[in-house]
Amino acid sequence: MDFSAYQQQALKTDQVPAKNGDGIVVPLLGLVGEAGSLLTEYKKLLRDKDGHKLFKDCVAEELGDLLWYIANVASKFDLDLTEIAQSNLNKCRDRWGRSDLAQTDGESTAYLFDNDFPEYERLPRTIEINITEETEGNSVKVRAFINGKQIGNYLTDNSYSSDGYRFHDVFHLSYVAVLGWSPVIRSNLKLKRKSNPRTDEVEDGGRAVAIEEGISALAFSYAKDHGFLEGISEIDEQLLKIIKNMTLDLEVSRCSLGDWEKAICMGYQVWRQIEKNRGGIVVIDMDASFIGYQAK
């Protein structure tokens, strides 16, 4: 039986069919009451242990009652239970899973948004970036090198206080590793997809770069308030949703909230080591969705 069929059958046994007043209050109170009954059965299990022989049968009954009330509330508000169930699965998959749109090749699952472009316009699937810190007078500058060649400009904290933001290229690199996306790194490596003017303008242009920089700054502010995510593996869902909304019109919108969470957490794992050691080597493997740190 599917959810819609169950919902229609359950509606036939509704003793308070009104869509207002008691007709709404009764099933809402029923949800609360049955949830309490479910907890009571678990309390009995904790108390009686193996003596509660009918525990599973009782739980099944309470879950059935909860399902009836859920279906009834949905009906009272003209909602379809099948659509609710599918929407919830989509939400959970987006929050905790890797998007089904990631490209799969054997055991490798990666986002390769530039896979159909010429090789000279693709992000390297593996990269080693040497990040160094230098002091010039009162200024501390950070530079990044690939094969001895500097990429991008030198960076400072651009702040009145030293907070390590000068190493924030690590965050852009983590987006490359996990999300297969970074207009900033693509620009630094001169890998803009000019063979498609529309992609070059929208996906690799100045607005996309500004959005990515905004995401990095936003996440940094959050991380700063949370010990730079040391010992933390879950990001506030509201922050992830803000980031998702910022990128709705870009290719990276295909990535899930869970992907963003992974990219941010892995990026800060590397950033903490880079900041502690004042530099080091960042290793990226896009096929493995991996970013790591190596001491020099």
Side-chain angles (χ1 to χ4, degrees), residues 208-224:
V209 168
I211 288 172
E212 184 184 357
E213 292 288 10
I215 290 171
S216 294
L218 180 64
F220 190 81
S221 178
Y222 173 87
K224 200 172 183 179

PDB file of all heavy atoms in Angstrom, residues 208-224:
ATOM      1  N   ALA A 208      30.419  35.064 -10.103  1.00  0.00           N
ATOM      2  CA  ALA A 208      30.644  33.762  -9.470  1.00  0.00           C
ATOM      3  C   ALA A 208      31.828  33.826  -8.505  1.00  0.00           C
ATOM      4  O   ALA A 208      31.784  33.241  -7.413  1.00  0.00           O
ATOM      5  CB  ALA A 208      30.876  32.690 -10.533  1.00  0.00           C
ATOM      6  N   VAL A 209      32.877  34.541  -8.909  1.00  0.00           N
ATOM      7  CA  VAL A 209      34.042  34.718  -8.032  1.00  0.00           C
ATOM      8  C   VAL A 209      33.635  35.441  -6.756  1.00  0.00           C
ATOM      9  O   VAL A 209      34.019  35.050  -5.647  1.00  0.00           O
ATOM     10  CB  VAL A 209      35.161  35.503  -8.762  1.00  0.00           C
ATOM     11  CG1 VAL A 209      36.239  35.937  -7.777  1.00  0.00           C
ATOM     12  CG2 VAL A 209      35.768  34.646  -9.871  1.00  0.00           C
ATOM     13  N   ALA A 210      32.833  36.500  -6.897  1.00  0.00           N
ATOM     14  CA  ALA A 210      32.386  37.269  -5.728  1.00  0.00           C
ATOM     15  C   ALA A 210      31.527  36.409  -4.805  1.00  0.00           C
ATOM     16  O   ALA A 210      31.643  36.502  -3.571  1.00  0.00           O
ATOM     17  CB  ALA A 210      31.601  38.495  -6.187  1.00  0.00           C
ATOM     18  N   ILE A 211      30.680  35.580  -5.383  1.00  0.00           N
ATOM     19  CA  ILE A 211      29.846  34.690  -4.571  1.00  0.00           C
ATOM     20  C   ILE A 211      30.709  33.728  -3.779  1.00  0.00           C
ATOM     21  O   ILE A 211      30.496  33.504  -2.581  1.00  0.00           O
ATOM     22  CB  ILE A 211      28.852  33.930  -5.472  1.00  0.00           C
ATOM     23  CG1 ILE A 211      27.765  34.883  -5.985  1.00  0.00           C
ATOM     24  CG2 ILE A 211      28.217  32.754  -4.719  1.00  0.00           C
ATOM     25  CD1 ILE A 211      26.858  34.283  -7.028  1.00  0.00           C
ATOM     26  N   GLU A 212      31.714  33.141  -4.450  1.00  0.00           N
ATOM     27  CA  GLU A 212      32.591  32.197  -3.758  1.00  0.00           C
ATOM     28  C   GLU A 212      33.360  32.877  -2.641  1.00  0.00           C
ATOM     29  O   GLU A 212      33.489  32.318  -1.527  1.00  0.00           O
ATOM     30  CB  GLU A 212      33.557  31.536  -4.739  1.00  0.00           C
ATOM     31  CG  GLU A 212      34.418  30.474  -4.072  1.00  0.00           C
ATOM     32  CD  GLU A 212      35.449  29.868  -4.989  1.00  0.00           C
ATOM     33  OE1 GLU A 212      35.482  30.232  -6.187  1.00  0.00           O
ATOM     34  OE2 GLU A 212      36.239  29.033  -4.507  1.00  0.00           O
ATOM     35  N   GLU A 213      33.869  34.069  -2.882  1.00  0.00           N
ATOM     36  CA  GLU A 213      34.590  34.801  -1.841  1.00  0.00           C
ATOM     37  C   GLU A 213      33.651  35.129  -0.682  1.00  0.00           C
ATOM     38  O   GLU A 213      34.043  35.077   0.493  1.00  0.00           O
ATOM     39  CB  GLU A 213      35.205  36.077  -2.408  1.00  0.00           C
ATOM     40  CG  GLU A 213      36.332  35.860  -3.400  1.00  0.00           C
ATOM     41  CD  GLU A 213      37.625  35.370  -2.742  1.00  0.00           C
ATOM     42  OE1 GLU A 213      37.621  35.019  -1.544  1.00  0.00           O
ATOM     43  OE2 GLU A 213      38.657  35.348  -3.446  1.00  0.00           O
ATOM     44  N   GLY A 214      32.408  35.448  -1.011  1.00  0.00           N
ATOM     45  CA  GLY A 214      31.429  35.725   0.030  1.00  0.00           C
ATOM     46  C   GLY A 214      31.150  34.500   0.888  1.00  0.00           C
ATOM     47  O   GLY A 214      31.014  34.597   2.117  1.00  0.00           O
ATOM     48  N   ILE A 215      31.062  33.342   0.247  1.00  0.00           N
ATOM     49  CA  ILE A 215      30.842  32.091   0.980  1.00  0.00           C
ATOM     50  C   ILE A 215      32.012  31.815   1.912  1.00  0.00           C
ATOM     51  O   ILE A 215      31.818  31.428   3.080  1.00  0.00           O
ATOM     52  CB  ILE A 215      30.638  30.929  -0.008  1.00  0.00           C
ATOM     53  CG1 ILE A 215      29.295  31.070  -0.716  1.00  0.00           C
ATOM     54  CG2 ILE A 215      30.740  29.577   0.710  1.00  0.00           C
ATOM     55  CD1 ILE A 215      29.098  30.100  -1.861  1.00  0.00           C
ATOM     56  N   SER A 216      33.232  32.010   1.416  1.00  0.00           N
ATOM     57  CA  SER A 216      34.416  31.764   2.239  1.00  0.00           C
ATOM     58  C   SER A 216      34.437  32.676   3.457  1.00  0.00           C
ATOM     59  O   SER A 216      34.755  32.243   4.571  1.00  0.00           O
ATOM     60  CB  SER A 216      35.687  31.973   1.411  1.00  0.00           C
ATOM     61  OG  SER A 216      35.783  31.001   0.386  1.00  0.00           O
ATOM     62  N   ALA A 217      34.093  33.956   3.256  1.00  0.00           N
ATOM     63  CA  ALA A 217      34.082  34.907   4.365  1.00  0.00           C
ATOM     64  C   ALA A 217      32.974  34.569   5.358  1.00  0.00           C
ATOM     65  O   ALA A 217      33.163  34.651   6.579  1.00  0.00           O
ATOM     66  CB  ALA A 217      33.908  36.328   3.832  1.00  0.00           C
ATOM     67  N   LEU A 218      31.816  34.185   4.844  1.00  0.00           N
ATOM     68  CA  LEU A 218      30.687  33.820   5.709  1.00  0.00           C
ATOM     69  C   LEU A 218      31.025  32.598   6.552  1.00  0.00           C
ATOM     70  O   LEU A 218      30.792  32.582   7.770  1.00  0.00           O
ATOM     71  CB  LEU A 218      29.451  33.547   4.849  1.00  0.00           C
ATOM     72  CG  LEU A 218      28.172  33.143   5.581  1.00  0.00           C
ATOM     73  CD1 LEU A 218      27.691  34.278   6.478  1.00  0.00           C
ATOM     74  CD2 LEU A 218      27.086  32.764   4.573  1.00  0.00           C
ATOM     75  N   ALA A 219      31.570  31.572   5.915  1.00  0.00           N
ATOM     76  CA  ALA A 219      31.939  30.350   6.633  1.00  0.00           C
ATOM     77  C   ALA A 219      33.049  30.626   7.639  1.00  0.00           C
ATOM     78  O   ALA A 219      33.076  30.037   8.730  1.00  0.00           O
ATOM     79  CB  ALA A 219      32.371  29.269   5.645  1.00  0.00           C
ATOM     80  N   PHE A 220      33.964  31.539   7.290  1.00  0.00           N
ATOM     81  CA  PHE A 220      35.063  31.865   8.203  1.00  0.00           C
ATOM     82  C   PHE A 220      34.537  32.533   9.470  1.00  0.00           C
ATOM     83  O   PHE A 220      34.990  32.247  10.581  1.00  0.00           O
ATOM     84  CB  PHE A 220      36.077  32.770   7.512  1.00  0.00           C
ATOM     85  CG  PHE A 220      37.353  32.959   8.285  1.00  0.00           C
ATOM     86  CD1 PHE A 220      38.353  31.996   8.230  1.00  0.00           C
ATOM     87  CD2 PHE A 220      37.560  34.087   9.068  1.00  0.00           C
ATOM     88  CE1 PHE A 220      39.541  32.149   8.939  1.00  0.00           C
ATOM     89  CE2 PHE A 220      38.739  34.254   9.779  1.00  0.00           C
ATOM     90  CZ  PHE A 220      39.737  33.281   9.715  1.00  0.00           C
ATOM     91  N   SER A 221      33.575  33.419   9.299  1.00  0.00           N
ATOM     92  CA  SER A 221      32.976  34.084  10.452  1.00  0.00           C
ATOM     93  C   SER A 221      32.307  33.068  11.372  1.00  0.00           C
ATOM     94  O   SER A 221      32.437  33.141  12.598  1.00  0.00           O
ATOM     95  CB  SER A 221      31.953  35.125   9.975  1.00  0.00           C
ATOM     96  OG  SER A 221      31.321  35.762  11.067  1.00  0.00           O
ATOM     97  N   TYR A 222      31.604  32.121  10.767  1.00  0.00           N
ATOM     98  CA  TYR A 222      30.955  31.057  11.548  1.00  0.00           C
ATOM     99  C   TYR A 222      32.014  30.201  12.255  1.00  0.00           C
ATOM    100  O   TYR A 222      31.893  29.901  13.446  1.00  0.00           O
ATOM    101  CB  TYR A 222      30.108  30.192  10.619  1.00  0.00           C
ATOM    102  CG  TYR A 222      29.527  28.959  11.276  1.00  0.00           C
ATOM    103  CD1 TYR A 222      28.320  29.011  11.952  1.00  0.00           C
ATOM    104  CD2 TYR A 222      30.185  27.727  11.206  1.00  0.00           C
ATOM    105  CE1 TYR A 222      27.787  27.881  12.551  1.00  0.00           C
ATOM    106  CE2 TYR A 222      29.670  26.595  11.796  1.00  0.00           C
ATOM    107  CZ  TYR A 222      28.461  26.677  12.468  1.00  0.00           C
ATOM    108  OH  TYR A 222      27.948  25.551  13.069  1.00  0.00           O
ATOM    109  N   ALA A 223      33.043  29.797  11.510  1.00  0.00           N
ATOM    110  CA  ALA A 223      34.079  28.933  12.077  1.00  0.00           C
ATOM    111  C   ALA A 223      34.817  29.630  13.211  1.00  0.00           C
ATOM    112  O   ALA A 223      35.169  29.001  14.217  1.00  0.00           O
ATOM    113  CB  ALA A 223      35.064  28.516  10.985  1.00  0.00           C
ATOM    114  N   LYS A 224      35.030  30.912  13.055  1.00  0.00           N
ATOM    115  CA  LYS A 224      35.741  31.682  14.082  1.00  0.00           C
ATOM    116  C   LYS A 224      34.998  31.633  15.408  1.00  0.00           C
ATOM    117  O   LYS A 224      35.602  31.611  16.492  1.00  0.00           O
ATOM    118  CB  LYS A 224      35.903  33.123  13.605  1.00  0.00           C
ATOM    119  CG  LYS A 224      37.001  33.914  14.294  1.00  0.00           C
ATOM    120  CD  LYS A 224      37.170  35.243  13.586  1.00  0.00           C
ATOM    121  CE  LYS A 224      38.324  36.037  14.202  1.00  0.00           C
ATOM    122  NZ  LYS A 224      38.513  37.339  13.487  1.00  0.00           N
TER     123      LYS A 224
END
